[in-house]
Amino acid sequence: MSETGGEGWDQSGNPTSVFAYEGHPGPEEGGMKNEGEMRKGEEEGQGKEEDEDYDSPPERQIVVGICSMMKKSKSKPMTQIMERLCKFEYITVVIFPEEVILNEPVDKWPLCDCLVSFHSKGFPLDKAVEYANLRNPLIINDLNMQYYIQDRREVYRILQEEGIDLPRYAVLTRDPDRPEECNLVEGEDHVEVNGEVFPKPFVEKPVCAEDHNVYIYYPTSAGGGSQRLFRKIGSRSSVYSPESCVRKTGSYIYEEFMPTDGTDVKVYTVGPDYAHAEARKSPALDGKVERDSEGKEIRYPVMLTAMEKLVARKVCLAFKQTVCGFDLLRANGHSFVCDVNGFSFVKNSMKYYDDCAKVLGNMVMRELAPQFHIPWSIPMEAEDIPIVPTTSGTMMELRCVIAIIRHGDRTPKQKMKMEVRHPLFFELFEKYGGYKSGKLKLKKPKQLQEVLDIARLLLAELGQHTDCEIEEKKGKLEQLKTVLEMYGHFSGINRKVQLTYLPNGQPKASSEEEGREGGPSLLLVLKWGGELTPAGRVQAEELGRAFRCMYPGGQGDYAGFPGCGLLRLHSTYRHDLKIYASDEGRVQMTAAAFAKGLLALEGELTPILVQMVKSANMNGMLDSDSESLTDCQQRVKARLHEIMQKDQDFTEADYQKLAPTGSPSLVNSMKVIGNPVRTCDQVYALIQRLTSQIRKRLEDPKSADLQLYHSETLELMLQRWSKLERDFRNKSGRYDISKIPDIYDCVKYDTQHNATLGLEDTLELFRLSRALADIVIPQEYGINKPEKMDIAQAYCLPLMKKIQLDLQRTHEDEAVNKLHPLYSRGVMSPGRHVRTRLYFTSESHVHSLLSIFRYGGLLDEVKDQQWKQAMDYLSAVSELNYMTQIVIMLYEDNNKDPGSEERFHVELHFSPGVKSCEDEENVPLGFGFRPASAENQEKQTNQGSLEDLSQDEPDRALPLSELISIRRSPMIRNRKTGSMEVLDQGHVSYCKWWPGPLGKGLRAVLLYHHFSLIRWRGGATVCLLSAAGFEGCSMVPSIYPLETLHNSLSLKQVDEFLNAVCEDSSDAHAKTMKGRYSSQGRYLVLSRSNMPSLHTIGKTVQTDLGTS
């Protein structure tokens, strides 16, 4: 007789192996029996059937054989499940030793009644098939189908035959015998496989399922390169590579990239009627594997929709694999199967182990018990136990967060216009369909290369001429060539060329030009710059980290660390989060950096951008075409230019004309300026002085090659300022007021990033240009209230409708991804969700949206004191700087009647964004973040506060002396919670929220206290990130904390207001903005966040924006 866990031989001479699992008795102790003993007992029993002296023969045992490689047979999940299977009275488990499987003929393998056998690396599948044919046991996972599972082409064929959704794909087979299946054409931003075109991003998978080297190729507009996925090695599952070309050897499947919100779903079936699903961070996101304290990859069980359950059943039956794992991609409101793995167990779930053993045991008994005359009946158990999530008592639940955020710090935007008539430009215009609309935007590398080639050719042709007009053209062509040659490579994210068809050429500016060439021409507009700086990336990422503190805290490992509540909610699929961004590169990169900070991601922005952003026709929701101004805006600009051209001090009438709303920030700027023309004279003189200083530095060999911030050279800096000098004042001496924002833009950039140059008078230029910009910029969006509303509605109508839709969706829907309540141990409220919608855009939309809230009639300042204070505060804010935020938060009071107006509670918050130079003494003070509203002030409790919803009682407001609880981390080493850093010793690591107005400094520490790589020092901070890939040591300004504009609005009030504003928009606006709405936007989807007890804000429905 063999020892427990050892090997033995039965009477027929066949090897047998029995294992007593840890925590389960061996056969001698009444547990899993030795197969040899069992067979012997059976034979003895048969011999004594007629012997009346034989009292109780041992019951016939059903032998379940485990035939796989030892690494799989002895794995923790297999051990756990087999332990539980052995608790069935009539089941014995026998594990086939690996050396027997590999070295012995199949007739020497142990006998069994039921076979669990599956392929893995090194497993002889042919022998297993031979054994099954010889012994004819009950097969749990069909062996012949396992050959198909090893070939991705066969997997996709079977899925298609079953009508299961999968990504659009094409197969490239590099086989000399099948040349017709190997047609590959590779373009800059796409690949064509056998006639099927796949634009980047696309996925390249080896046809062999055992090869896990899957590549994702990114478009040049997102930075190019590829993400290379592989089997997990340590804490990495993928790595970013700058290589953009597809592999040239081997056979591959090319498929459409599905934007999965940064999450993969793994589904595990046990028979056709049972499926367990888990979410994990997608390896394509940043390649960092999130692990728990035991080193296991962190996964969270999720709810499958009815359609996904049907897919699981189909996969299980189609591949004839009872125990089967497959991968689901949730994208655009649909679910797609992208891989079938065959035999696969859940790694760490006691509930799953229990269920799996029960299902398998019942299946084996149902099939074999009658055959062996074993008395057994199927136990009756309810399949789906309804789990009703508890409410949070009297506390309000955060249901929805909507934020509109301006992009981060950028390089100065620059523009050059020139009229062109060369046939090559017209050919290019026609080639890319410019005649359809009369306009053409060129951003792709191939297109920009064609423009560069034309510029080089024309410069070569013009080289011999010395005509003055030709010299002017030559200068512009030189600039076109220089800009397009910058960086040494093209990325559509930082340069673009626009061509507009002019049937009669450009209007002649003077009588001198009358004799010049007429006929049709093209207006070429070259735009460059305006790209997100390293400082902008830091700002966005830090704000993302800080934004976590907007959400209630977590529990367990997550308790006590600000923002961990969000990470836990997101990770457990209870955060319905989507991020939208306009099509500008700087806006998209800001959104990606923010996502990186918000969700504690690592690595490059390109994979995050592509994973989180999907293209959609957003009807101009976040984009604005500055060339297509409304009639009202053109009239406003004309009046503004007229007032600012007066060579005299502003009169009382001018104050009435320019500042009819009486805005203090506007009035103060007008006082600083006095005489606008004289101030422009001063600004012009200061620019001349600045360009003169830069020229001297260039002539000095010591400083000529000086590298400025973000790789700019002194030569480029001089070009930037010289162009402003030329454009600001024309030949007649009049000033072009439209250049004031550009001047302020440039001096702000240099004051912040190139202060080390020590250029004189830059602060004075900053002061004067800022005063001018503080008038010109906000007033371009309307001078009086009706104009402000008219222009704001033209810009923001689609966005307002979307915000209204976000707030209205207050019912859960099957399409919302949910955590599975039965498996969610350690998650207190698995059924609750919060919806977050973040909209990243540019200055125009932020100005316009704020105008709508200020002047649209939301509240009456006379009747509502809090709103009057808010309006006074907004009037004192002079600039909506980078990272300006408008935040709307919706709460639900579960104690109120569902039909009551008091059931839903809306709050409106605002931050003017990044602090500018010299801001400290002039900054307007608000009333803090979430001050107590009138009805709460007496109670000393803020029911609408950001409670820790993981507790089942409301948080109490802290006395002022206990505003911030500061504790030192008990851990000296840097500890990880998921992928979330816990702070070193000495950092603030826990925050409480309190009602009532606070001092500015405390608010900043509370709301924008970071897990920071940046140390706050007054108004600015030193960038410590150069080692992590950020360039330079530029000063990174801090961001103003959120100020509450109102915190006791009802949802009905807000809904009626938005409805009125949207309806008030006239047909004229729709016509004017028609061209604008057709522009393509991009939106980011991230899904999975965490908070201990929140509901989803509503139904996910299909609109023209896709899944909203």
Side-chain angles (χ1 to χ4, degrees):
M1 186 190 302
S2 64
E3 294 294 322
T4 302
E7 290 175 32
W9 299 84
D10 65 14
Q11 286 187 326
S12 307
N14 292 331
T16 179
S17 178
V18 182
F19 288 83
Y21 292 91
E22 184 184 346
H24 189 80
E28 291 83 354
E29 300 166 300
M32 193 165 54
K33 302 151 198 75
N34 180 287
E35 186 203 349
E37 287 184 356
M38 188 274 294
R39 296 285 186 200
K40 183 179 176 182
E42 182 185 342
E43 287 166 10
E44 287 173 353
Q46 286 170 348
K48 296 179 180 179
E49 268 180 359
E50 306 302 323
D51 190 343
E52 293 177 2
D53 296 329
Y54 183 66
D55 294 329
S56 53
E59 295 285 358
R60 168 70 161 93
Q61 291 288 304
I62 295 172
V63 180
V64 176
I66 310 297
C67 178
S68 64
M69 301 302 282
M70 197 54 67
K71 184 181 177 184
K72 301 290 182 182
S73 301
K74 287 191 172 181
S75 67
K76 182 183 174 183
M78 182 69 87
T79 305
Q80 293 279 349
I81 291 163
M82 292 306 115
E83 274 183 13
R84 288 160 172 77
L85 197 58
C86 286
K87 290 179 182 176
F88 279 78
E89 187 180 352
Y90 299 101
I91 291 180
T92 294
V93 175
V94 173
I95 294 181
F96 293 19
E98 186 174 297
E99 54 270 32
V100 171
I101 295 170
L102 296 175
N103 303 322
E104 297 289 341
V106 296
D107 59 353
K108 301 289 186 185
W109 288 12
L111 297 174
C112 67
D113 305 304
C114 171
L115 181 67
V116 177
S117 181
F118 52 95
H119 178 266
S120 62
K121 189 175 181 181
F123 181 77
L125 186 56
D126 293 345
K127 289 178 77 175
V129 172
E130 187 186 345
Y131 174 84
N133 292 333
L134 175 69
R135 301 296 185 195
N136 198 29
L138 171 68
I139 302 290
I140 295 296
N141 276 33
D142 187 274
L143 293 165
N144 287 305
M145 288 301 291
Q146 293 183 33
Y147 289 109
Y148 293 118
I149 291 172
Q150 294 174 55
D151 189 327
R152 287 191 172 100
R153 291 169 293 196
E154 292 299 317
V155 170
Y156 275 30
R157 177 185 62 78
I158 293 167
L159 290 172
Q160 267 188 324
E161 287 175 359
E162 292 298 320
I164 295 168
D165 286 342
L166 61 161
R168 184 175 65 88
Y169 76 98
V171 179
L172 182 79
T173 304
R174 286 193 170 98
D175 184 344
D177 299 329
R178 290 186 284 175
E180 73 281 356
E181 294 180 24
C182 188
N183 292 318
L184 175 73
V185 180
E186 187 172 8
E188 182 75 44
D189 262 337
H190 74 277
V191 69
E192 187 179 324
V193 181
N194 300 325
E196 190 86 18
V197 177
F198 295 89
K200 291 181 181 177
F202 60 76
V203 183
E204 180 187 62
K205 295 177 176 177
V207 294
C208 174
E210 296 297 300
D211 187 342
H212 297 273
N213 294 294
V214 175
Y215 292 2
I216 300 168
Y217 295 91
Y218 300 128
T220 49
S221 61
S226 54
Q227 192 78 8
R228 304 191 164 191
L229 282 60
F230 43 77
R231 263 202 184 279
K232 290 190 285 284
I233 301 172
S235 63
R236 296 218 67 82
S237 58
S238 73
V239 65
Y240 176 76
S241 164
E243 180 56 58
S244 292
C245 295
V246 299
R247 287 172 278 192
K248 299 298 187 291
T249 56
S251 297
Y252 300 96
I253 287 178
Y254 289 88
E255 71 182 49
E256 187 177 11
F257 175 81
M258 310 302 290
T260 60
D261 311 348
T263 309
D264 283 356
V265 178
K266 297 254 176 204
V267 183
Y268 302 86
T269 70
V270 188
D273 301 317
Y274 180 95
H276 171 96
E278 289 186 340
R280 63 162 187 179
K281 185 170 76 174
S282 169
L285 196 55
D286 61 359
K288 178 73 189 297
V289 178
E290 292 182 316
R291 297 190 182 275
D292 60 18
S293 55
E294 295 179 7
K296 305 289 184 188
E297 183 179 19
I298 294 176
R299 295 183 178 186
Y300 292 93
V302 296
M303 295 282 278
L304 291 175
T305 65
M307 190 58 71
E308 288 169 339
K309 288 175 185 175
L310 182 61
V311 168
R313 180 182 179 83
K314 282 184 174 182
V315 168
C316 179
L317 294 173
F319 290 89
K320 300 178 185 175
Q321 305 293 298
T322 301
V323 179
C324 186
F326 67 92
D327 294 352
L328 267 184
L329 301 176
R330 284 171 165 173
N332 304 324
H334 299 281
S335 297
F336 304 86
V337 176
C338 67
D339 200 8
V340 177
N341 306 308
F343 194 96
S344 192
F345 281 141
V346 175
K347 301 297 185 289
N348 289 298
S349 170
M350 295 301 152
K351 180 74 175 66
Y352 170 81
Y353 297 152
D354 293 342
D355 289 349
C356 185
K358 271 186 193 174
V359 173
L360 287 176
N362 288 339
M363 189 184 296
V364 170
M365 294 302 292
R366 185 173 62 243
E367 294 292 329
L368 299 180
Q371 187 180 327
F372 296 124
H373 310 291
I374 295 171
W376 182 82
S377 60
I378 299 172
M380 299 299 292
E381 289 184 7
E383 273 191 23
D384 290 319
I385 305 165
I387 301 293
V388 182
T390 59
T391 64
S392 57
T394 58
M395 295 185 298
M396 285 194 184
E397 292 184 10
L398 181 63
R399 297 290 305 278
C400 183
V401 177
I402 298 168
I404 298 87
I405 304 172
R406 190 186 172 195
H407 59 76
D409 178 71
R410 57 163 169 74
T411 59
K413 285 196 293 184
Q414 297 182 76
K415 184 162 70 174
M416 181 207 73
K417 292 183 181 180
M418 66 182 291
E419 190 179 15
V420 294
R421 285 192 164 85
H422 197 281
L424 287 173
F425 283 113
F426 281 101
E427 285 172 22
L428 190 67
F429 192 70
E430 184 178 16
K431 180 179 177 181
Y432 293 108
Y435 286 110
K436 289 176 187 173
S437 62
K439 289 186 176 182
L440 182 63
K441 191 183 285 187
L442 305 173
K443 289 178 74 172
K444 292 183 178 177
K446 185 183 175 187
Q447 295 170 334
L448 295 177
Q449 183 63 54
E450 288 180 64
V451 176
L452 177 58
D453 290 343
I454 295 170
R456 285 171 175 164
L457 183 71
L458 294 183
L459 280 169
E461 284 181 11
L462 293 172
Q464 294 79 28
H465 299 279
T466 54
D467 184 278
C468 168
E469 186 184 334
I470 286 174
E471 280 301 315
E472 186 183 342
K473 280 186 180 175
K474 214 166 143 186
K476 292 199 170 183
L477 283 170
E478 284 283 5
Q479 190 166 20
L480 177 64
K481 176 175 170 284
T482 303
V483 170
L484 291 177
E485 286 175 343
M486 275 163 61
Y487 311 115
H489 68 283
F490 286 119
S491 169
I493 237 159
N494 51 35
R495 277 163 294 181
K496 64 183 173 188
V497 172
Q498 291 173 337
L499 292 170
T500 306
Y501 183 71
L502 305 173
N504 303 308
Q506 226 173 354
K508 306 296 180 285
S510 66
S511 56
E512 294 173 12
E513 297 181 5
E514 289 298 329
R516 291 193 183 179
E517 192 179 348
S521 66
L522 293 170
L523 177 65
L524 184 150
V525 181
L526 171 68
K527 293 183 177 180
W528 72 100
E531 58 191 287
L532 195 67
T533 63
R537 287 179 60 178
V538 174
Q539 288 163 358
E541 200 174 322
E542 289 296 301
L543 184 61
R545 284 193 184 92
F547 219 76
R548 297 178 203 161
C549 297
M550 299 277 289
Y551 298 80
Q555 63 194 36
D557 283 344
Y558 289 85
F561 300 105
C564 283
L566 173 84
L567 293 177
R568 184 157 171 78
L569 182 73
H570 194 70
S571 298
T572 53
Y573 247 119
R574 291 170 298 146
H575 188 206
D576 177 19
L577 169 62
K578 289 185 171 58
I579 298 186
Y580 299 75
S582 69
D583 72 347
E584 292 288 353
R586 58 182 167 274
V587 180
Q588 290 178 23
M589 282 301 182
T590 299
F594 184 95
K596 183 179 178 180
L598 182 73
L599 301 178
L601 302 172
E602 296 184 8
E604 298 292 320
L605 289 188
T606 295
I608 296 170
L609 173 64
V610 175
Q611 275 291 88
M612 304 299 191
V613 181
K614 53 185 176 182
S615 297
N617 184 347
M618 297 206 305
N619 289 339
M621 187 170 73
L622 299 172
D623 293 303
S624 55
D625 184 356
S626 57
E627 308 297 324
S628 306
L629 302 177
T630 64
D631 292 340
C632 179
Q633 203 166 4
Q634 285 172 336
R635 289 196 305 272
V636 165
K637 282 199 170 189
R639 273 172 46 221
L640 194 56
H641 281 231
E642 182 192 336
I643 297 168
M644 297 295 287
Q645 294 288 359
K646 289 184 178 177
D647 190 2
Q648 62 181 49
D649 284 354
F650 285 126
T651 62
E652 194 58 41
D654 291 330
Y655 277 92
Q656 288 299 318
K657 281 182 186 176
L658 205 50
T661 58
S663 165
S665 63
L666 205 56
V667 170
N668 289 342
S669 294
M670 289 178 75
K671 286 177 180 174
V672 170
I673 290 166
N675 181 324
V677 172
R678 291 282 169 81
T679 304
C680 286
D681 285 339
Q682 287 177 269
V683 166
Y684 184 68
L686 287 167
I687 292 172
Q688 287 181 311
R689 215 170 299 163
L690 191 65
T691 53
S692 172
Q693 291 179 71
I694 299 168
R695 283 191 186 92
K696 284 179 182 173
R697 299 289 173 92
L698 267 171
E699 290 163 8
D700 184 350
K702 292 179 183 174
S703 58
D705 298 324
L706 196 63
Q707 193 82 350
L708 305 180
Y709 181 69
H710 199 37
S711 306
E712 191 180 33
T713 62
L714 276 172
E715 181 66 46
L716 288 169
M717 185 185 191
L718 179 61
Q719 284 180 19
R720 179 157 52 87
W721 279 108
S722 297
K723 185 176 186 306
L724 283 173
E725 184 183 339
R726 285 194 308 272
D727 296 347
F728 185 39
R729 190 165 77 173
N730 61 28
K731 292 171 184 175
S732 64
R734 275 175 69 88
Y735 289 103
D736 184 350
I737 303 303
S738 67
K739 296 298 173 192
I740 286 171
D742 296 340
I743 294 168
Y744 175 56
D745 200 20
C746 271
V747 74
K748 181 165 73 171
Y749 180 83
D750 287 329
T751 305
Q752 181 183 326
H753 297 300
N754 293 319
T756 51
L757 274 177
L759 299 170
E760 294 173 11
D761 301 322
T762 49
L763 286 177
E764 179 63 9
L765 178 56
F766 175 84
R767 186 183 72 85
L768 292 175
S769 61
R770 179 176 183 173
L772 288 165
D774 285 348
I775 293 173
V776 172
I777 293 173
Q779 298 309 78
E780 281 184 347
Y781 299 100
I783 294 174
N784 54 43
K785 290 182 183 181
E787 288 170 346
K788 285 181 184 292
M789 281 301 294
D790 190 89
I791 291 168
Q793 285 171 320
Y795 274 109
C796 279
L797 182 62
L799 180 57
M800 296 296 286
K801 285 182 175 176
K802 183 64 173 61
I803 290 170
Q804 186 180 25
L805 204 60
D806 292 336
L807 290 171
Q808 284 172 348
R809 291 177 181 157
T810 54
H811 301 290
E812 293 192 17
D813 183 77
E814 179 77 339
V816 175
N817 299 327
K818 300 173 188 174
L819 183 72
H820 200 301
L822 290 175
Y823 297 86
S824 49
R825 297 197 317 147
V827 179
M828 187 167 286
S829 310
R832 298 186 178 184
H833 290 70
V834 65
R835 171 184 291 257
T836 300
R837 294 292 181 268
L838 306 175
Y839 299 94
F840 287 85
T841 186
S842 52
E843 190 177 28
S844 57
H845 275 68
V846 177
H847 270 286
S848 300
L849 189 60
L850 205 55
S851 290
I852 285 172
F853 281 117
R854 288 174 73 178
Y855 307 117
L858 175 60
L859 291 164
D860 188 339
E861 290 180 41
V862 178
K863 295 178 183 174
D864 192 308
Q865 185 60 29
Q866 190 183 18
W867 190 243
K868 185 183 185 311
Q869 291 171 341
M871 294 303 98
D872 290 344
Y873 164 68
L874 288 177
S875 294
V877 172
S878 61
E879 181 181 6
L880 304 184
N881 209 343
Y882 305 127
M883 305 310 302
T884 292
Q885 308 134 61
I886 299 168
V887 179
I888 303 164
M889 300 176 82
L890 174 68
Y891 291 84
E892 182 176 7
D893 187 343
N894 290 298
N895 291 320
K896 301 294 181 186
D897 186 86
S900 164
E901 193 175 326
E902 297 175 344
R903 176 83 176 191
F904 292 99
H905 164 97
V906 178
E907 298 182 350
L908 187 60
H909 311 286
F910 167 78
S911 162
V914 171
K915 292 182 180 178
S916 284
C917 307
E918 314 297 326
D919 253 4
E920 289 299 323
E921 55 290 354
N922 301 319
V923 63
L925 279 176
F927 288 84
F929 182 72
R930 316 196 85 256
S933 54
E935 62 270 25
N936 280 340
Q937 222 143 11
E938 297 169 6
K939 297 181 186 176
Q940 292 301 304
T941 299
N942 189 2
Q943 296 288 353
S945 185
L946 290 172
E947 304 93 356
D948 179 351
L949 297 185
S950 66
Q951 310 302 320
D952 282 302
E953 58 179 40
D955 268 358
R956 301 292 173 196
L958 290 175
L960 204 62
S961 59
E962 298 176 30
L963 287 179
I964 300 172
S965 167
I966 300 186
R967 72 179 187 192
R968 290 182 181 273
S969 168
M971 298 148 292
I972 293 176
R973 69 183 187 282
N974 187 38
R975 172 174 152 257
K976 293 275 185 182
T977 307
S979 62
M980 166 82 192
E981 301 91 2
V982 175
L983 300 177
D984 303 324
Q985 289 183 315
H987 285 208
V988 179
S989 56
Y990 182 54
C991 290
K992 280 281 188 181
W993 305 91
W994 65 88
L998 302 169
K1000 177 183 53 155
L1002 285 173
R1003 282 200 314 280
V1005 172
L1006 174 75
L1007 183 61
Y1008 288 128
H1009 129 240
H1010 297 287
F1011 303 95
S1012 206
L1013 299 172
I1014 307 288
R1015 318 285 175 169
W1016 301 111
R1017 289 183 186 164
T1021 57
V1022 178
C1023 173
L1024 303 178
L1025 299 179
S1026 53
F1030 289 99
E1031 303 169 33
C1033 293
S1034 167
M1035 303 297 276
V1036 181
S1038 53
I1039 298 170
Y1040 286 113
L1042 283 176
E1043 301 282 357
T1044 297
L1045 302 181
H1046 210 284
N1047 65 354
S1048 56
L1049 296 161
S1050 72
L1051 179 58
K1052 185 183 175 187
Q1053 265 180 299
V1054 177
D1055 189 57
E1056 286 175 352
F1057 163 72
L1058 291 173
N1059 213 40
V1061 168
C1062 292
E1063 283 181 0
D1064 191 44
S1065 218
S1066 65
D1067 292 337
H1069 283 130
K1071 284 180 187 175
T1072 307
M1073 301 301 289
K1074 188 178 178 185
R1076 186 177 302 173
Y1077 293 171
S1078 66
S1079 62
Q1080 288 287 327
R1082 299 179 71 85
Y1083 81 74
L1084 285 125
V1085 181
L1086 319 145
S1087 264
R1088 298 185 328 172
S1089 235
N1090 84 46
M1091 249 175 258
S1093 57
L1094 305 169
H1095 285 296
T1096 324
I1097 180 60
K1099 231 176 192 181
T1100 305
V1101 297
Q1102 293 299 313
T1103 66
D1104 59 343
L1105 298 171
T1107 306
S1108 66

